[in-house]
Amino acid sequence: MRKWAALAVLALAQFLMVLDQAVMNVSISQLVEDFDTNVTTIQAVITLYALVMAMLMLTGGKLGDLLGRRRAFTIGLIIYGSGSALTAASWNVGTLVLGWSVLEGVGAALVLPALVALIAANYEGRDRVAAFGVIGGVSGVGIAVGPIVGGFFTANLSWRWVFVGEVIVAAAIVLVVRAVADSRPADRRPQLDVVGAALSAAGLGTIVIALLQSSSWGWIEPRRSPITPFGFALTPFVVLAGVGILVVFVRWQEHRIAVGRDPLVRLGLFASRTLRAGLSCFFCQNLILLGIFFIVPLYLQIVLGLDALETGVRMLPISVTMFVTSTLGPALAGRVGPRLVVRAGFVLLAVAAFAMLETIEPELTGIAFGASLGLLGVGMGLVASQLGNVIQSSVEADDRSEAGGLQNTAQQVGSAAGTALVGAIVLSALIGAFTSTISDDERISAQLADALQVQVAAGGSFVAAADVDAALVEAGVDAAEVAAVVDGYEAAQLAALRRGLLFAAFLAVAALGITGGLPRSLAPGAPST
């Protein structure tokens, strides 16, 4: 029991980091109502949380080297708990952003790299493989419990009580954190590369902001783009600016190394093909998962009108199967190797996403939708159970915090990009399908169709069909035309959600191409090719 006490503490922290994102995803409609806003704004809040973590994760890993990994872990939990307290008390979107997106994001950026490094430092060999499998399983538990807990509290009390509970859990972890043995790099005290930290945060932040705004700005043809360089939307130019900043960051890291000073990231780590493959797989895993976890609540809550608790129950199959598969994954990898397990996981993700295309209907009947979610959970569990140990085993002990920072950066950039990119695809498809449908519908006058197209072009959002009906009735539109517009909008909603799922399925297929660098075997010294 004493041997696994450290894992219990770290696993509880991992659970805490995963829980509230799942809560937010099933509480979208309630958040829209409580703060008198729209889905796009809440999408931005959710994305900003992942963005803050992605921007600061590399710096958080380096601070773990400077402060000691257990101390960084503890400080991060205190900041995270403070953010949870503010989130629970938030009175407008601004305080929600400060508490949840900013403070919790900063806290998580300290906790997660330290957590990964502490697991690798506290366990060796088979114990380490088992520990990372448990952490993957706990992530599945967070996804399993999050929708149910969030749905229950949102439907019966308030989503705010979940964050009150997070404050209590964070405080409890801080009180027992000494059960975890500390670890520091064996060599000299490292330096913090402040310029590198700023450059990495700016580059990653710029790219994800561009993805987030793409639904508003447009990708090529401008919509509500604040400026239109050369007549095109701003999005690709902002993405290019972010890439440029990251190129400057890499050059700065090379300069720091050349003059004998510590970089934020040791570029030599990327010489490891295993590390590169592991990071790429983490990115794709979260890109797919968070993209689908944006689509499914929209379908269940906005299209079908289910409340948060009903949404959580409907999403239970993905949660349960991910938990079970994550905990069994390490044993499976011992038999067939991590590479084959991860490949099988991505194949199942693609199959599940394609299967879900056939289940997105105006009414939810039968077990097909639940079965496809369950299959999605199996695929995600297979992938999640392998990658933490693969990455940590590919680096030396002194590089574990940096590897942990890179690992969580890949995850959080994937999360931010998944929510933003799939959200942009869904909204763009909704606008395109809706404007096309109302233009071709003979029941709708040309005058009304033109007015609706202007309105949608000025600022479209994914809202319930009942809201569209109510707005048209209030505007004095004829009942027959109202029915025709609502029919077209409902069809456009389903088409848009299917477009998002199709994109996720193609991503899973494409991800197979990056698994070649993963090790064939868990045995020490096994070749990765």
Side-chain angles (χ1 to χ4, degrees):
M1 292 296 294
R2 184 180 181 85
K3 173 182 177 181
W4 297 108
L7 181 60
V9 173
L10 297 172
L12 186 58
Q14 179 70 31
F15 173 80
L16 190 63
M17 299 295 107
V18 173
L19 177 68
D20 62 354
Q21 199 157 8
V23 170
M24 282 295 191
N25 277 316
V26 299
S27 303
I28 289 175
S29 60
Q30 190 61 52
L31 289 162
V32 168
E33 181 180 339
D34 286 357
F35 295 110
D36 190 24
T37 185
N38 54 48
V39 170
T40 302
T41 299
I42 298 303
Q43 175 195 349
V45 174
I46 292 172
T47 303
L48 183 59
Y49 173 62
L51 171 62
V52 170
M53 285 192 285
M55 291 172 63
L56 300 178
M57 203 65 73
L58 295 177
T59 305
K62 183 61 71 173
L63 287 172
D65 289 341
L66 282 165
L67 302 172
R69 288 150 186 169
R70 190 173 68 188
R71 181 179 295 177
F73 178 81
T74 304
I75 293 172
L77 279 170
I78 293 171
I79 296 173
Y80 189 93
S82 300
S84 295
L86 180 57
T87 301
S90 58
W91 53 92
N92 56 30
V93 172
T95 51
L96 179 69
V97 168
L98 178 59
W100 193 67
S101 302
V102 177
L103 289 178
E104 288 196 33
V106 170
L110 283 168
V111 169
L112 289 170
L115 186 153
V116 172
L118 287 168
I119 291 173
N122 278 261
Y123 300 98
E124 297 289 344
R126 292 183 180 275
D127 287 346
R128 182 189 293 171
V129 175
F132 276 112
V134 168
I135 291 298
V138 167
S139 295
V141 171
I143 295 173
V145 174
I148 299 298
V149 171
F152 174 80
F153 279 99
T154 301
N156 296 284
L157 295 169
S158 171
W159 54 268
R160 298 175 187 271
W161 285 103
V162 177
F163 293 92
V164 173
E166 287 192 354
V167 175
I168 297 171
V169 172
I173 296 172
V174 170
L175 291 176
V176 298
V177 73
R178 289 193 175 277
V180 181
D182 199 2
S183 68
R184 284 180 179 270
D187 57 6
R188 63 183 178 83
R189 182 182 178 87
Q191 304 165 331
L192 178 61
D193 176 11
V194 177
V195 174
L199 287 171
S200 67
L204 292 168
T206 300
I207 291 171
V208 178
I209 287 171
L211 294 175
L212 173 62
Q213 292 298 320
S214 62
S215 60
S216 174
W217 295 345
W219 284 98
I220 303 298
E221 294 295 327
R223 290 203 185 104
R224 288 175 290 156
S225 187
I227 60 174
T228 55
F230 309 107
F232 297 104
L234 186 58
T235 302
F237 296 95
V238 177
V239 170
L240 186 61
V243 172
I245 295 172
L246 291 180
V247 170
V248 174
F249 165 71
V250 172
R251 296 292 179 263
W252 176 254
Q253 299 304 285
E254 292 173 344
H255 168 73
R256 296 271 299 189
I257 295 169
V259 299
R261 305 187 69 185
D262 288 337
L264 185 69
V265 177
R266 300 179 192 181
L267 300 178
L269 293 176
F270 291 99
S272 167
R273 187 185 179 202
T274 299
L275 178 68
R276 295 196 306 271
L279 294 175
S280 299
C281 288
F282 259 129
F283 173 81
C284 290
Q285 167 197 302
N286 278 39
L287 183 67
I288 297 164
L289 180 63
L290 269 294
I292 292 178
F293 262 64
F294 179 76
I295 291 171
V296 173
L298 281 183
Y299 173 58
L300 295 175
Q301 291 186 309
I302 306 299
V303 176
L304 300 184
L306 304 183
D307 63 26
L309 180 58
E310 292 170 325
T311 299
V313 172
R314 291 288 188 177
M315 293 175 69
L316 191 57
I318 184 175
S319 309
V320 171
T321 54
M322 183 175 176
F323 167 58
V324 173
T325 311
S326 293
T327 55
L328 296 177
L332 185 60
R335 293 178 176 272
V336 299
R339 185 192 298 179
L340 187 57
V341 173
V342 172
R343 283 178 172 172
F346 280 125
V347 168
L348 290 178
L349 288 178
V351 172
F354 280 122
M356 288 178 67
L357 289 171
E358 298 297 322
T359 67
I360 299 292
E361 299 292 344
E363 294 184 4
L364 194 58
T365 58
I367 63 171
F369 182 76
S372 63
L373 285 182
L375 186 62
L376 186 74
V378 172
M380 196 58 64
L382 290 175
V383 176
S385 67
Q386 306 302 312
L387 299 179
N389 181 60
V390 165
I391 287 178
Q392 287 294 311
S393 297
S394 70
V395 300
E396 300 296 331
D398 288 355
D399 297 323
R400 283 172 181 162
S401 283
E402 285 186 28
L406 289 169
Q407 168 183 324
N408 284 287
T409 297
Q411 287 181 282
Q412 298 311 321
V413 171
S415 297
T419 304
L421 191 56
V422 173
I425 289 170
V426 168
L427 185 56
S428 297
L430 174 68
I431 293 171
F434 180 55
T435 55
S436 176
T437 299
I438 61 176
S439 297
D440 297 337
D441 195 327
E442 295 179 353
R443 297 173 296 171
I444 302 172
S445 67
Q447 182 180 4
L448 178 58
D450 290 343
L452 288 171
Q453 287 176 356
V454 170
Q455 182 72 21
V456 168
S461 184
F462 203 105
V463 299
D467 293 339
V468 175
D469 189 305
L472 291 171
V473 170
E474 186 178 348
V477 177
D478 178 75
E481 285 191 289
V482 169
V485 171
V486 170
D487 287 345
Y489 181 72
E490 289 175 338
Q493 282 183 317
L494 297 178
L497 293 174
R498 292 188 184 111
R499 183 78 61 86
L501 284 171
L502 185 63
F503 177 71
F506 286 153
L507 283 175
V509 173
L512 290 171
I514 60 176
T515 59
L518 299 176
R520 291 178 176 173
S521 169
L522 288 174
S528 61
T529 59

